[in-house]
Amino acid sequence: MSETAPQPKTAAANPPVQPIGSNLLPSDVVRISATKDVPQPDRQLTKVAKLIDVSKCIGCKACQSACIEWNDTRPEVEENVGVYENPHDLTPNMFTLMRFTEWVNPETDNLEWLIRKDGCMHCEDPGCLKACPAPGAIVQYSNGIVDFIHENCIGCGYCVTGCPFDIPRISKVDHKSYKCTLCSDRVAVGQGPACAKACPTQAIVFGTKEDMIAHAEERIEDLKSRGYANAGIYDPAGVGGTHVIYVLHHADKPSIYDGLPDEPRISPVVEGWKGVTKTAGLAVMGVAAVGAAIHGIFARANKVAEHEEHEAEKLVQSGDGNGGTV
Amino acid sequence: MNIDLSRRGFFKLAGAGVAATSLGAMGFGEAEAAERAHVRAFKLATTTETRNTCPYCSVACGIIMYSKGDVKAGETAELIHIEGDADHPTNRGTLCPKGAALKDFVHAPTRLTKPRHRAAGASEFQDITWDEALDKIARAMKDDRDANFIQTNEAGVPVNRWTTTGFLAASATTNETAWLTYKTVRSMGIVGFDNQARV
Ligand code: SF4
Ligand code: SF4
Ligand code: SF4
Ligand code: SF4
């Protein structure tokens, strides 16, 4: 194979068509779901980030179109119920979704139309990966990308519960979990995400995390000079920072942007399961291996009754999680 | 077989697993991923690039069409992807949601690829050749212009207006094509002249 691709710096470039060596390799993985002692990579890739400036977004959804086209997903055509969200939620075929909020600013009595591009935040400390019981179904690369390896996914849906942003979605067709990849296949050849390239207002930009923070700071200064005193960056420390970051004009109130968590962190339940999930996951796989009807199990596994949720929480809180005395 | 694997079930299994057996005994010596980490194969590798202009509106964004197979080399080309052209001065790689979804427009089963004609009173469209279509259009235009062209107004001032036929042109053209279209249409006196995305 020919030369190795450079590391990406921007999304505003035309992808190569000549064969080029991938620059995002199995050896660049720093964390693997349900796997301890991941060998430390011999190099550290430059951390990347996608910056979404909600103050520049016009809600056109070019990013959604570009994501569908690049990933060859095909969200179902749904019914118009009188709202702008389309589709109605993230789906296994729609990795990013514009969420619209009409908010009356109590200080000015102005109606503000808040538009936020929702999707995986690529957490430095990913709750999905920590909750996942299937070895190798979720990996994190040293540049910060959290990616799903679908062949290893058992469709249990724990990643959905583990994610502080409620992002992954389980396909009813193949019972695998799907979410934004940060276009890992483009990043691997030195390109930026399809959504960032397409965005006509450049509300979405992509580059090294360092560059994106610097760009965000410029934007925040500009917003402050226009009267948005609380403009700021959303790069939440509770999940170790993220590789998808926002510029918010009201950074003091993230939740007004359609429920963006004010202080996201991994649920203590997930942190508590850590010890047992791996064992439990393997037990499931054992059952599967002796010839259980895989579909039956995994389709059912998604249904967690609310009382069970509470019991699990109690268990973890009482420190009884590993005792098996349920 | 009816295993209700709720999360609680997982806790039970986990407990049982630790108490009654070891993972080793169950046949899982080392927990390892069945499939190594990998990203999706880069789908544009070895495709043919063709520069073009988005057909939707008169912003006329530059696009690159990626196909498997090269028409210039006498092969059939299968279009697999379209994205904005970062070298194009109009859009620098960006696209609107329509432009970003162009691949599906090209592949749409309902896309019009040849002239069709619905005869007066008929309910169905029929395929016709370009020659037939152009002849029909020319005939209809000539007849209408001969009958309705207004050479002078009531005060006798020459106006050369033809108000009974309209012309709908494409917006996404080069300046040269746009100039030619404009001259052709206006020289016949047509007043109603527009395109699908006037800006
Ligand atoms: S493409 Fe850019 S402007 Fe359009 S909805 Fe997406 S983020 Fe907003
Ligand atoms: S569905 Fe289960 S196995 Fe698949 S990625 Fe999510 S947590 Fe892991
Ligand atoms: S946002 Fe959710 S799915 Fe994405 S990396 Fe963070 S925890 Fe995982
Ligand atoms: S980074 Fe790629 S996968 Fe993620 S939302 Fe953008 S286009 Fe979709």
Side-chain angles (χ1 to χ4, degrees), chain A residues 119-123 126-129 146 148 162-168 179:
Chain A
C120 176
M121 300 294 287
H122 295 270
C123 309
C128 58
L129 188 149
V146 177
F148 285 16
C163 170
F165 300 95
D166 183 28
I167 298 299
K179 67 158 190 73

Side-chain angles (χ1 to χ4, degrees), chain A residues 2-15:
Chain A
S2 40
E3 60 181 300
T4 302
Q7 291 191 46
K9 289 200 176 72
T10 170
N14 289 333

Side-chain angles (χ1 to χ4, degrees), chain A residues 50 63 66-68 70-71 95-96 117-119 122 179-184 186 193-196:
Chain A
K50 182 169 81 179
C63 47
C67 180
I68 293 167
W70 179 257
N71 291 296
F95 302 162
T96 185
K117 179 182 185 288
D118 196 13
H122 295 270
K179 67 158 190 73
C180 157
T181 66
L182 207 69
C183 285
S184 50
R186 292 175 71 96
C195 56

